[in-house]
Amino acid sequence: MSPQPQAAVGAPLSRVDGRLKVTGQALYAAEHDADGAVHAVIVDAAIGRGRITGVDTADAEKHRGVLRVIHHGNAPTLPYRDNSGSNNPPGRRLRVFQDDRVLFHGQPVAVVVATTLEAAQHGASLVKVGYDAQEPSTDLAEAEPGKPTDYARGDAEAGLRSSAVRLDVTYQLARNHHNPMEPHATIARWDGNRLTVWDKTQWVMGTHDELAAVFDLPADAVRVINPFVGGGFGSGLRCWPHTTVAALAARETGRPVKLVLSRRQMYFGTGFRPSYEYRLRLGSDRRGRLSAAIHDIDAETSSYETFTEAVMGAGQMLYSMPHVSQAYRTVPLDVNTPIWMRGPGFASASFVIESAMDELAHELGIDPIELRRRNEPSEDESSNLPFSTRRLRECCTVGAREFGWHRRSPKPRSTRDGDWLIGLGMAAGVYDPGRYPGDARARLDADGTAVVEAATSDMGPGTYTSQTQVAADALGLNMRTVTFRLGDSLYPRTSPHGGSSTMASVGTAVVDACNQVRQQAIRLAVEDRESPLYGVDTDEVVVRSGRLHVQGNPARGETYRSLLARNNRSHLEANGSYTGPPSPARHSYHAYNATFAEVAVDATLGLVRVRRMLGVYDAGRIISPKLADSQAIGGIVGGIGTALLEHTVTDHRDGRIVNANLADYLVPVNADVPEVRAIYLDGEDNDGNALGVKGLGEVVQVGVAAAIGNAVFNATGRRVRQLPITAEALL
Ligand code: MOS
């Protein structure tokens, strides 16, 4: 194949769907028009654990407009076929309205269907549920952990004992909620035995498979549609109970049903980043060479499913050391099941590891960047594989230069600006980006335009735009003549839109499909006696702006349009696929960053203000610089939230989430977000994907909280080992 010119990839393009979004034409889950749709509102459990003793629906059913109240006493049995393929964690998934048990505060216990939203809401308030309540267990610090997942190399206990310098620190990480702007919502419609669902999801195929399993339907009887997602951060990575509730309500009433979770219901109707208690013991010699680390990690999960995430990865491979042991225990609590949230696992572990590295640097009197440099591994010590690419040192060097690290005083509490104590901090970040098999389809039409389809999502990173870029270059078309479609289970199957996997995975399948179409056209031309390209070696033909020509000789060629017209072809079409990374793995493939923060802390009030942030990323090739900036800024903003603001608070007496709203659960607002800058190291990483990408969406949030915490220490001399870092903790 001749090298295809890259025109769109790498260009700082605006979003192809930007106009649709700002003019309200992009339709989100609840905005689709299902003719005659009625409204459903969930009644959620008012106790944290126990049994339902009765559901009195009389008043609700009398309310004008109410069509039906469904609960465990009158709901049909649902098949709930086994399905481990839709990101359902091991366990027994919550089965809506199938029995009288309440497993967590907020669990759906009934649904009211009415002709208007107001009638459904009021009807829900009239349903009287009787309970036999038990005391829930919702406190990570009080509950019994389950069996650990272990990792060990060397002899960590002995390594620690013989270390000249030892650190033994425990960190508490608060639960975080995703809080996407668009609430989770579902419209469900049955046409006979066929179910169509418009659902907020990051994975139409996952929701498709789960609904087929829950209702025991053949695969082709379910269709899931979701062209736009108003933010996700991971909350849409599985099919939650309310989607089943909507489908059940539609089937029971014979009407299309629209169900939108309220902002309050989002706190227990979808998942969350689990809270952690994380003890880290770290040993080094006096020159800062790490010898041993022991990680004791406790994380919350629900009583009915065991959710785990990649919280062990960074501790095994970020720094070189002979002795490591880890025990990761999930603690079953009377809560709903957690799920991945941006930078999952790595973001949590990195706060601990990178804060501890800063503590060690301070203890040893070594610059934090120099300490990391001294512990740079020459291979991935968890797998003994070479790195595909690893440019963490370069991230640190570039970051130090661009951020003005030399201006940092290593002595805490030594820099002031009036009443404010000023501090600089940094942290390293690593993420293990996903690469999952999947398919795509490309069609070139006789008019010279193309349509490319894959059943992926765009929760905000700009999938429409970035996939159009790689498709346009592979087809040799201009951006505006290529339409990329996603968000429909009728399109070729892909993996979840998460884990920083979409460009490497879906993008590779898209390029494969488009390359095939381009090759078909080239073959057609060189074998066509009437084509100016007749007889040319296929490897010599390139396509630019819809015109095939001999490489180096633009005059000799013709357009796709003339070629297809002369050959009476309505279109050319191909299916492409990505089969996943090499197996067994040949390389350790990770994205890295160095993140820098400058904070000001009010010396008397303890208020923390972030002043500047910089992220330097080793994330492989950047397909779309403008989209990348929005990812980086978003990740840093998310990290500011985790560091200083975000904290889901539970009342342990009854399991109720106290701050289940955007007034009391604090997320960063514009005033909290200062100057944020992102730099990407040039280069590509071709381990298992021809695009050379490593995925950016997750790594941008990893290390951010630690960089801020380390800056707070530098400003104040106070080491806060809990997230969020609040003013109270600094007084
Ligand atoms: Mo990301 S946590 O995989 O949406």
Side-chain angles (χ1 to χ4, degrees):
M1 236 191 286
S2 63
Q4 182 58 14
Q6 304 267 286
V9 167
L13 302 171
S14 295
R15 290 170 190 254
V16 296
D17 52 339
R19 189 175 297 269
L20 290 180
K21 284 186 167 172
V22 299
T23 56
Q25 294 175 81
L27 295 186
Y28 294 85
E31 298 178 324
H32 292 274
D33 184 21
D35 245 358
V38 295
H39 299 265
V41 169
I42 286 175
V43 179
D44 39 74
I47 62 165
R49 184 158 74 107
R51 291 194 179 271
I52 303 166
T53 54
V55 184
D56 179 354
T57 61
D59 288 349
E61 279 167 345
K62 269 185 275 179
H63 186 65
R64 194 168 147 186
V66 170
L67 301 171
R68 190 75 71 89
V69 183
I70 306 166
H71 52 88
H72 78 282
N74 63 11
T77 301
L78 294 176
Y80 276 100
R81 226 165 54 200
D82 281 351
N83 173 30
S84 58
S86 296
N87 281 339
N88 293 332
R92 184 183 192 276
R93 59 217 204 273
L94 189 80
R95 298 172 186 219
V96 293
F97 312 149
Q98 299 296 292
D99 60 46
D100 63 356
R101 296 201 311 157
V102 174
L103 302 180
F104 60 88
H105 201 288
Q107 175 188 317
V109 293
V111 63
V112 176
V113 188
T115 51
T116 65
L117 176 61
E118 291 74 14
Q121 284 171 334
H122 191 63
S125 76
L126 296 174
V127 176
K128 294 189 232 1
V129 184
Y131 299 102
D132 177 7
Q134 294 162 358
E135 200 180 318
S137 161
T138 55
D139 191 349
L140 180 65
E142 299 289 319
E144 276 301 306
K147 276 202 188 51
T149 305
D150 294 321
Y151 168 83
R153 71 168 178 259
D155 184 341
E157 293 285 354
L160 198 65
R161 271 196 306 274
S162 59
S163 290
V165 183
R166 284 190 289 267
L167 210 65
D168 183 350
V169 281
T170 301
Y171 296 81
Q172 261 99 26
L173 316 185
R175 186 197 284 194
N176 286 177
H177 268 86
H178 309 76
N179 277 304
M181 279 216 294
E182 180 203 15
H184 279 257
T186 306
I187 300 172
R189 186 185 76 202
W190 292 83
D191 302 285
N193 257 340
R194 306 179 69 82
L195 172 62
T196 304
V197 158
W198 291 263
D199 184 56
K200 180 193 175 97
T201 171
Q202 289 169 235
W203 191 18
V204 290
M205 295 318 301
T207 298
H208 168 275
D209 294 355
E210 174 67 355
L211 289 171
V214 169
F215 290 94
D216 195 19
L217 298 167
D220 64 1
V222 182
R223 182 176 177 193
V224 179
I225 302 170
N226 183 38
F228 290 96
V229 185
F233 316 106
S235 72
L237 283 171
R238 72 179 288 205
C239 180
W240 297 107
H242 69 271
T243 301
T244 299
V245 171
L248 173 66
R251 205 176 66 177
E252 291 301 296
T253 58
R255 303 280 292 272
V257 163
K258 180 185 288 194
L259 191 161
V260 183
L261 292 186
S262 67
R263 183 58 62 179
R264 187 182 65 84
Q265 289 175 324
M266 295 267 287
Y267 284 79
F268 39 76
T270 64
F272 51 87
R273 188 197 300 283
S275 59
Y276 279 92
E277 186 170 302
Y278 193 137
R279 180 183 179 197
L280 177 60
R281 283 169 281 172
L282 204 54
S284 86
D285 66 17
R286 298 215 174 272
R287 300 190 56 247
R289 278 289 307 175
L290 293 170
S291 165
I294 302 177
H295 304 248
D296 289 294
I297 310 167
D298 286 358
E300 62 180 328
T301 187
S302 68
S303 64
Y304 53 98
E305 286 172 319
T306 304
F307 171 80
T308 56
E309 60 183 350
V311 72
M312 297 168 78
Q316 295 172 14
M317 54 68 67
L318 186 52
Y319 299 116
S320 174
M321 68 190 89
H323 310 290
V324 179
S325 87
Q326 294 176 310
Y328 172 25
R329 289 170 295 251
T330 51
V331 182
L333 297 176
D334 298 315
V335 301
N336 62 311
T337 306
I339 197 159
W340 304 285
M341 183 170 159
R342 203 166 193 179
F346 285 86
S348 300
S350 79
F351 177 70
V352 171
I353 295 167
E354 291 301 292
S355 298
M357 287 296 277
D358 203 69
E359 298 199 37
L360 188 62
H362 178 70
E363 187 112 356
L364 293 165
I366 298 175
D367 179 86
I369 293 177
E370 177 56 26
L371 178 66
R372 286 164 176 85
R373 232 185 263 287
R374 289 185 190 175
N375 291 287
E376 177 72 13
S378 56
E379 62 168 18
D380 184 323
E381 293 179 359
S382 69
S383 60
N384 297 117
L385 290 170
F387 296 109
S388 53
T389 51
R390 170 169 163 135
R391 299 163 73 191
L392 179 55
R393 285 182 176 203
E394 208 178 328
C395 289
C396 290
T397 312
V398 171
R401 187 184 68 223
E402 295 298 315
F403 201 66
W405 185 249
H406 66 277
R407 291 203 297 271
R408 171 182 180 270
S409 160
K411 191 168 161 342
R413 219 181 172 89
S414 63
T415 310
R416 269 187 178 258
D417 177 4
D419 290 338
W420 297 90
L421 300 164
I422 308 299
L424 265 59
M426 64 79 61
V430 60
Y431 189 75
D432 180 4
R435 287 164 297 168
Y436 311 118
D439 301 326
R441 179 165 56 221
R443 192 186 73 222
L444 173 70
D445 284 312
D447 65 359
T449 66
V451 175
V452 183
E453 294 167 339
T456 184
S457 302
D458 186 351
M459 67 171 138
T463 314
Y464 278 107
T465 308
S466 55
Q467 298 294 340
T468 306
Q469 286 175 271
V470 297
D473 281 355
L475 288 163
L477 289 173
N478 295 328
M479 287 283 289
R480 63 188 154 69
T481 54
V482 179
T483 304
F484 183 75
R485 294 189 185 138
L486 52 72
D488 191 327
S489 60
L490 292 179
Y491 298 152
R493 175 176 283 268
T494 71
S495 52
H497 172 53
S500 288
S501 67
T502 305
M503 184 45 74
S505 310
V506 180
T508 302
V510 162
V511 168
D512 181 38
C514 294
N515 279 344
Q516 290 184 50
V517 167
R518 189 180 82 250
Q519 289 303 311
Q520 286 178 31
I522 291 172
R523 267 198 309 276
L524 194 61
V526 301
E527 290 168 7
D528 177 358
R529 288 177 182 282
E530 291 173 50
S531 171
L533 292 166
Y534 177 66
V536 175
D537 184 344
T538 53
D539 289 351
E540 294 291 305
V541 182
V542 295
V543 189
R544 251 184 245 262
S545 304
R547 191 168 173 282
L548 306 89
H549 66 82
V550 176
Q551 196 177 8
N553 180 8
R556 184 171 174 196
E558 68 170 323
T559 62
Y560 279 139
R561 287 176 64 161
S562 76
L563 174 69
L564 267 64
R566 197 174 58 252
N567 286 276
N568 294 318
R569 294 294 193 95
S570 63
H571 66 279
L572 301 174
E573 192 170 19
N575 292 312
S577 65
Y578 173 61
T579 53
S583 175
R586 291 197 293 265
H587 293 105
S588 163
Y589 168 89
H590 290 82
Y592 298 88
N593 79 53
T595 300
F596 293 77
E598 177 181 327
V599 301
V601 183
D602 187 299
T604 26
L605 300 176
L607 292 173
V608 181
R609 291 281 179 261
V610 174
R611 287 196 165 178
R612 292 189 292 142
M613 302 243 13
L614 168 68
V616 184
Y617 305 102
D618 164 19
R621 171 180 289 169
I622 299 301
I623 300 293
S624 205
K626 203 166 167 182
L627 295 174
D629 274 346
S630 103
Q631 285 295 290
I633 291 167
I636 286 174
V637 172
I640 293 173
T642 297
L644 300 175
L645 300 166
E646 299 191 43
H647 184 188
T648 306
V649 180
T650 301
D651 185 333
H652 297 308
R653 293 171 304 179
D654 63 1
R656 185 175 61 95
I657 295 173
V658 178
N659 58 342
N661 60 73
L662 282 174
D664 297 320
Y665 181 101
L666 304 180
V667 295
V669 296
N670 279 340
D672 296 308
V673 179
E675 178 193 320
V676 176
R677 204 180 145 205
I679 297 171
Y680 315 94
L681 301 185
D682 281 340
E684 53 189 76
D685 186 316
N686 290 105
D687 187 58
N689 80 89
L691 285 162
V693 301
K694 292 208 274 191
L696 184 70
E698 315 281 356
V699 75
V700 290
Q701 189 156 345
V702 180
V704 177
I708 293 169
N710 296 341
V712 167
F713 175 77
N714 183 244
T716 64
R718 298 285 293 275
R719 179 64 65 180
V720 181
R721 298 195 186 94
Q722 69 187 40
L723 289 179
I725 297 166
T726 56
E728 303 89 281
L730 290 168
L731 290 179

Coordinates of all heavy atoms in Angstrom, one line a residue, residues 45-96:
A45 N -36.1 3.4 47.6 CA -36.2 2.9 49.0 C -35.7 4.0 50.0 O -34.7 4.6 49.8 CB -35.3 1.7 49.2
A46 N -36.5 4.1 51.1 CA -36.2 5.1 52.1 C -35.4 4.5 53.3 O -35.2 5.2 54.3 CB -37.5 5.8 52.6
I47 N -35.0 3.2 53.2 CA -34.2 2.6 54.2 C -32.9 2.1 53.6 O -32.9 1.9 52.4 CB -35.0 1.4 54.9 CG1 -35.3 0.3 53.9 CG2 -36.2 2.0 55.6 CD1 -35.7 -1.0 54.5
G48 N -32.0 1.8 54.4 CA -30.7 1.4 53.9 C -30.5 -0.1 53.8 O -29.6 -0.6 53.1
R49 N -31.4 -0.9 54.5 CA -31.4 -2.3 54.3 C -32.6 -2.9 55.0 O -33.1 -2.3 56.0 CB -30.1 -2.9 55.0 CG -30.0 -4.4 54.8 CD -28.5 -4.8 55.1 NE -28.1 -4.7 56.5 CZ -27.9 -5.8 57.2 NH1 -28.1 -7.0 56.7 NH2 -27.6 -5.7 58.5
G50 N -33.2 -3.9 54.5 CA -34.3 -4.6 55.2 C -35.3 -5.1 54.2 O -34.9 -5.6 53.1
R51 N -36.6 -5.2 54.6 CA -37.6 -5.8 53.7 C -38.7 -4.8 53.5 O -39.0 -4.0 54.4 CB -38.1 -7.1 54.3 CG -37.0 -8.1 54.3 CD -37.6 -9.5 54.5 NE -36.5 -10.5 54.5 CZ -36.1 -11.1 53.4 NH1 -36.7 -10.9 52.2 NH2 -35.1 -12.0 53.4
I52 N -39.4 -4.9 52.4 CA -40.6 -4.2 52.2 C -41.8 -5.0 52.8 O -41.9 -6.2 52.5 CB -40.8 -4.0 50.7 CG1 -39.6 -3.3 50.0 CG2 -42.1 -3.2 50.4 CD1 -39.6 -3.3 48.5
T53 N -42.5 -4.3 53.7 CA -43.7 -5.1 54.3 C -45.0 -4.8 53.5 O -45.9 -5.6 53.7 CB -43.8 -4.7 55.7 OG1 -43.9 -3.2 55.8 CG2 -42.6 -5.1 56.6
G54 N -45.0 -3.8 52.7 CA -46.2 -3.5 52.0 C -46.1 -2.3 51.1 O -45.3 -1.4 51.4
V55 N -46.8 -2.3 50.0 CA -46.8 -1.1 49.1 C -48.2 -0.7 48.9 O -49.0 -1.5 48.3 CB -46.1 -1.4 47.7 CG1 -46.0 -0.2 46.9 CG2 -44.7 -2.0 47.9
D56 N -48.6 0.5 49.4 CA -50.0 1.0 49.3 C -50.0 1.9 48.1 O -49.5 3.0 48.2 CB -50.4 1.6 50.6 CG -51.8 2.2 50.5 OD1 -52.4 2.2 49.4 OD2 -52.3 2.7 51.5
T57 N -50.7 1.5 47.0 CA -50.7 2.3 45.8 C -52.0 3.0 45.6 O -52.2 3.6 44.5 CB -50.4 1.4 44.6 OG1 -51.4 0.4 44.5 CG2 -49.0 0.7 44.7
A58 N -52.9 2.8 46.5 CA -54.3 3.3 46.3 C -54.4 4.8 45.9 O -55.0 5.2 44.9 CB -55.2 3.0 47.5
D59 N -53.7 5.6 46.7 CA -53.8 7.1 46.5 C -53.1 7.4 45.2 O -53.6 8.3 44.4 CB -53.1 7.8 47.6 CG -53.9 7.8 48.9 OD1 -55.1 7.4 48.8 OD2 -53.4 8.2 49.9
A60 N -52.0 6.8 44.9 CA -51.3 7.1 43.7 C -52.1 6.7 42.5 O -52.2 7.4 41.5 CB -49.9 6.3 43.6
E61 N -52.8 5.5 42.5 CA -53.6 5.1 41.4 C -54.8 6.0 41.1 O -55.3 6.0 40.0 CB -54.0 3.6 41.6 CG -52.8 2.7 41.2 CD -53.0 1.2 41.6 OE1 -53.9 1.0 42.5 OE2 -52.2 0.4 41.1
K62 N -55.3 6.6 42.2 CA -56.4 7.5 42.1 C -56.0 8.8 41.4 O -56.9 9.6 41.0 CB -57.1 7.7 43.5 CG -58.2 6.7 43.8 CD -58.8 7.1 45.1 CE -58.0 6.5 46.3 NZ -58.5 6.7 47.6
H63 N -54.7 9.1 41.5 CA -54.3 10.4 41.0 C -54.5 10.5 39.5 O -54.2 9.6 38.8 CB -52.8 10.7 41.4 CG -52.3 12.1 41.0 ND1 -52.8 13.2 41.7 CD2 -51.4 12.5 40.1 CE1 -52.2 14.2 41.1 NE2 -51.4 13.8 40.2
R64 N -55.0 11.7 39.1 CA -55.3 11.9 37.7 C -54.1 11.7 36.8 O -53.0 12.3 37.0 CB -55.9 13.3 37.5 CG -56.5 13.5 36.2 CD -57.3 14.8 36.2 NE -57.2 15.3 34.9 CZ -57.7 16.5 34.5 NH1 -58.2 17.3 35.4 NH2 -57.6 16.9 33.3
G65 N -54.2 10.9 35.8 CA -53.1 10.7 34.8 C -52.2 9.5 35.1 O -51.5 9.0 34.3
V66 N -52.3 9.0 36.3 CA -51.5 7.8 36.7 C -52.1 6.5 36.0 O -53.3 6.3 36.1 CB -51.4 7.6 38.2 CG1 -50.8 6.2 38.5 CG2 -50.6 8.7 38.8
L67 N -51.3 5.8 35.3 CA -51.7 4.7 34.5 C -51.4 3.4 35.3 O -52.2 2.4 35.2 CB -51.0 4.6 33.2 CG -51.2 5.8 32.2 CD1 -50.2 5.7 31.1 CD2 -52.6 5.8 31.8
R68 N -50.3 3.3 36.0 CA -49.9 2.1 36.6 C -48.9 2.3 37.7 O -48.0 3.2 37.5 CB -49.4 1.1 35.5 CG -49.1 -0.3 35.9 CD -50.4 -1.1 36.0 NE -51.0 -1.4 34.7 CZ -50.6 -2.4 33.9 NH1 -49.8 -3.3 34.4 NH2 -51.1 -2.6 32.7
V69 N -48.9 1.5 38.7 CA -47.8 1.5 39.7 C -47.3 0.1 39.7 O -48.1 -0.9 40.0 CB -48.3 1.9 41.1 CG1 -47.1 2.0 42.1 CG2 -49.0 3.3 41.0
I70 N -46.1 -0.1 39.5 CA -45.5 -1.4 39.4 C -44.5 -1.6 40.6 O -43.7 -0.7 40.8 CB -44.8 -1.7 38.1 CG1 -45.7 -1.4 36.9 CG2 -44.2 -3.1 38.0 CD1 -45.0 -1.3 35.6
H71 N -44.6 -2.7 41.3 CA -43.6 -3.0 42.4 C -43.5 -4.5 42.5 O -44.1 -5.2 41.7 CB -44.1 -2.3 43.7 CG -45.5 -2.7 44.0 ND1 -45.9 -3.8 44.7 CD2 -46.7 -2.1 43.7 CE1 -47.2 -3.9 44.8 NE2 -47.7 -2.9 44.2
H72 N -42.7 -4.9 43.5 CA -42.4 -6.4 43.6 C -43.7 -7.2 43.8 O -43.7 -8.4 43.5 CB -41.4 -6.7 44.7 CG -42.0 -6.7 46.1 ND1 -42.3 -5.5 46.7 CD2 -42.5 -7.7 46.9 CE1 -42.9 -5.8 47.9 NE2 -43.0 -7.1 48.0
G73 N -44.8 -6.6 44.3 CA -46.0 -7.3 44.6 C -46.8 -7.6 43.3 O -47.6 -8.5 43.3
N74 N -46.6 -6.9 42.3 CA -47.4 -7.1 41.0 C -46.5 -7.2 39.8 O -47.1 -7.4 38.7 CB -48.4 -6.0 40.9 CG -47.8 -4.6 40.7 OD1 -46.6 -4.5 40.5 ND2 -48.6 -3.6 40.8
A75 N -45.2 -7.1 39.9 CA -44.4 -7.2 38.7 C -44.3 -8.6 38.2 O -44.2 -9.6 39.0 CB -43.0 -6.6 39.0
P76 N -44.2 -8.8 36.9 CA -43.9 -10.2 36.4 C -42.5 -10.6 36.7 O -41.6 -9.8 37.0 CB -44.1 -10.0 34.9 CG -43.7 -8.6 34.6 CD -44.2 -7.8 35.8
T77 N -42.3 -11.9 36.7 CA -40.9 -12.4 36.9 C -40.1 -12.1 35.6 O -40.6 -12.3 34.5 CB -41.0 -13.9 37.1 OG1 -41.8 -14.2 38.3 CG2 -39.6 -14.5 37.3
L78 N -39.0 -11.6 35.8 CA -38.1 -11.3 34.7 C -37.0 -12.4 34.6 O -36.5 -12.8 35.6 CB -37.5 -9.9 34.8 CG -38.5 -8.7 34.7 CD1 -37.7 -7.4 35.0 CD2 -39.2 -8.7 33.4
P79 N -36.7 -12.8 33.3 CA -35.8 -13.9 33.2 C -34.4 -13.7 33.8 O -33.8 -14.6 34.3 CB -35.7 -14.2 31.7 CG -37.0 -13.5 31.1 CD -37.3 -12.4 32.1
Y80 N -33.8 -12.5 33.6 CA -32.5 -12.2 34.0 C -31.5 -13.3 33.7 O -30.9 -13.9 34.6 CB -32.4 -11.9 35.6 CG -32.8 -10.5 35.9 CD1 -34.0 -10.1 36.3 CD2 -31.8 -9.5 35.7 CE1 -34.3 -8.8 36.6 CE2 -32.1 -8.2 36.0 CZ -33.3 -7.8 36.5 OH -33.6 -6.5 36.8
R81 N -31.4 -13.6 32.4 CA -30.4 -14.6 32.0 C -29.0 -14.1 32.4 O -28.8 -12.9 32.5 CB -30.5 -14.6 30.4 CG -30.5 -15.9 29.7 CD -30.9 -15.7 28.3 NE -30.1 -14.8 27.5 CZ -30.5 -14.2 26.4 NH1 -31.7 -14.5 25.9 NH2 -29.7 -13.4 25.8
D82 N -28.1 -15.1 32.6 CA -26.7 -14.7 33.0 C -26.1 -13.8 31.9 O -26.4 -14.1 30.7 CB -25.9 -16.0 33.1 CG -26.1 -16.6 34.5 OD1 -26.8 -16.0 35.3 OD2 -25.6 -17.8 34.6
N83 N -25.4 -12.9 32.3 CA -24.7 -12.0 31.3 C -23.5 -11.4 32.0 O -23.6 -10.4 32.7 CB -25.6 -11.0 30.8 CG -24.9 -10.0 29.9 OD1 -23.9 -10.3 29.2 ND2 -25.4 -8.7 29.8
S84 N -22.4 -11.9 31.7 CA -21.1 -11.3 32.3 C -20.5 -10.4 31.3 O -19.5 -9.8 31.5 CB -20.2 -12.4 32.7 OG -19.9 -13.2 31.6
G85 N -21.2 -10.2 30.1 CA -20.5 -9.5 29.0 C -20.8 -8.0 28.9 O -20.4 -7.4 28.0
S86 N -21.6 -7.5 29.8 CA -21.9 -6.1 29.7 C -21.4 -5.3 30.9 O -22.0 -4.3 31.4 CB -23.5 -5.9 29.7 OG -24.0 -6.5 28.5
N87 N -20.2 -5.6 31.3 CA -19.5 -5.0 32.4 C -20.3 -5.2 33.7 O -20.2 -4.4 34.7 CB -19.4 -3.4 32.2 CG -18.2 -3.1 31.3 OD1 -17.3 -3.9 31.2 ND2 -18.2 -1.9 30.7
N88 N -21.1 -6.3 33.8 CA -21.7 -6.6 35.1 C -20.6 -7.3 35.9 O -20.0 -8.3 35.5 CB -22.8 -7.7 34.9 CG -24.0 -7.1 34.2 OD1 -24.2 -5.9 34.3 ND2 -24.7 -7.9 33.5
P89 N -20.3 -6.8 37.1 CA -19.2 -7.4 37.9 C -19.7 -8.7 38.5 O -20.9 -9.0 38.4 CB -19.0 -6.4 39.1 CG -19.8 -5.2 38.7 CD -20.9 -5.6 37.7
P90 N -18.8 -9.6 38.9 CA -19.2 -10.8 39.5 C -20.1 -10.6 40.7 O -20.0 -9.6 41.4 CB -17.8 -11.4 40.1 CG -16.8 -10.6 39.4 CD -17.3 -9.3 39.0
G91 N -21.1 -11.5 40.8 CA -22.1 -11.3 41.8 C -23.5 -11.7 41.3 O -23.6 -12.3 40.2
R92 N -24.5 -11.1 41.9 CA -25.8 -11.4 41.5 C -26.4 -10.0 41.3 O -26.6 -9.2 42.2 CB -26.6 -12.1 42.6 CG -28.0 -12.5 42.2 CD -28.7 -13.2 43.4 NE -29.9 -13.8 43.0 CZ -31.1 -13.2 42.9 NH1 -31.2 -11.9 43.2 NH2 -32.2 -13.8 42.6
R93 N -26.7 -9.6 40.0 CA -27.1 -8.2 39.8 C -28.5 -7.9 40.4 O -29.3 -8.8 40.6 CB -27.1 -7.9 38.3 CG -28.0 -8.7 37.4 CD -27.1 -8.8 36.1 NE -27.8 -9.0 34.8 CZ -28.2 -10.2 34.4 NH1 -28.0 -11.3 35.2 NH2 -28.7 -10.4 33.2
L94 N -28.7 -6.7 40.6 CA -29.9 -6.2 41.3 C -31.1 -6.5 40.3 O -31.0 -6.1 39.1 CB -29.8 -4.7 41.5 CG -31.0 -4.2 42.4 CD1 -30.7 -4.4 43.8 CD2 -31.1 -2.7 42.1
R95 N -32.1 -7.2 40.8 CA -33.2 -7.6 39.9 C -34.4 -6.7 40.3 O -34.9 -6.9 41.4 CB -33.5 -9.1 40.1 CG -32.3 -9.9 39.6 CD -32.4 -11.4 39.9 NE -31.1 -12.0 39.6 CZ -31.0 -13.2 39.0 NH1 -32.1 -13.9 38.8 NH2 -29.8 -13.6 38.7
V96 N -34.8 -5.9 39.4 CA -35.8 -4.9 39.8 C -37.2 -5.5 40.1 O -37.7 -6.2 39.2 CB -35.9 -3.7 38.8 CG1 -34.6 -2.9 38.8 CG2 -36.2 -4.1 37.4

